[in-house]
Amino acid sequence: MAKPDILLVGPYPEWDLVELEAQYNVLKLYEAEDRDTFVQDHAGGIRAIATRGELGASADLIAQLPKLEIVSVYGVGYDAVNLDACRARSIRVTNTPDVLTNDVADLGVAMMLVQSRGMIGAETWVKDGSWGTKGLYPLKRRVWGRKAGVLGLGRIGFEVAKRLKGFDMDIAYSDVAEKPYGEGMTFIPDPVELARRSDFLFVTLAASTVTRHIVSRQVIEALGPEGMLINISRASNIDEEALLEALESGALRSAALDVFEAEPKLNPRFLKLDNVLVQPHHASGTIETRKAMGKLVRDNLAAHFAGVALPTPVI
Ligand code: 8YV
């Protein structure tokens, strides 16, 4: 029996590619010289899309694939998949939750520590000889015992909060409703009020049209000149122009960001700032977790083509 055609939107690690190519006829969109022609040439046979969280599947791409049955996302965020276009044609969508939760939370907390304690600059201080010529490294800011806000107490937000308790931090959170598992934390529905009472504000909520720019200019101003913003969700959750202006003026003390609008072509203004820790969208980027994500992508595809329940359906 012929292997089903699947469209691979972005590159997967070799260990995933080998497994996929054993089961499917993998069409690599990202290697095509002319993507539109490539899709048109193969459209009639493509039954599945395998994509990445940040790449998704647009309404235009979905419309070009008359035989499409499923979109399998390598990532927990499916905001770049046009769900309305999928719903209209009963196209299934899956993602890879849970397997990456702890890695993402780990990196978010690490980013807070590295930025607040100035560890990137401290390593330069040693390596460029400043320690010997200029003496003691400038004092930075404490983390333990201070106030943290978690915007979105979902799986990742909860794991961030769990880690912050280990630093004896005073933790509050915002979400659409108070959470039964939020004991020991203060529920503050309004993101502006959450920012006002926080020294460190983590953005951990799933991105959607509803959450776009939820970290508004007002939230950023409320976090203020002593505050730090940590984003391990999606850039769309933040008004990036307002963030840049606040960082450039000192209205916001600092930020630690793993995601950016138009990444990897992030706004060059970020690169001129010394109060921002920039990271290349690698919060889930460990071998262990990416192998688990790849397997979940394949398990979802296999379940679909076997006609059995999907392990991690979105729709
Ligand atoms: C993924 C992410 O690793 O899970 C998501 O939604 O953004 C990342 O954790 C990335 O999408 C893989 O390309």
Side-chain angles (χ1 to χ4, degrees), residues 170-188:
D170 176 359
I171 305 165
Y173 70 94
S174 281
D175 210 303
V176 291
E178 195 158 3
K179 300 290 184 181
Y181 48 80
E183 70 274 359
M185 296 183 258
T186 308
F187 175 57
I188 301 178

Side-chain angles (χ1 to χ4, degrees), residues 268-290:
R269 290 162 63 186
F270 281 114
L271 306 181
K272 296 173 185 167
L273 293 166
D274 62 10
N275 55 350
V276 182
L277 175 68
V278 291
Q279 296 286 290
H281 197 159
H282 72 129
S284 63
T286 66
I287 290 170
E288 297 87 349
T289 287
R290 290 292 170 89

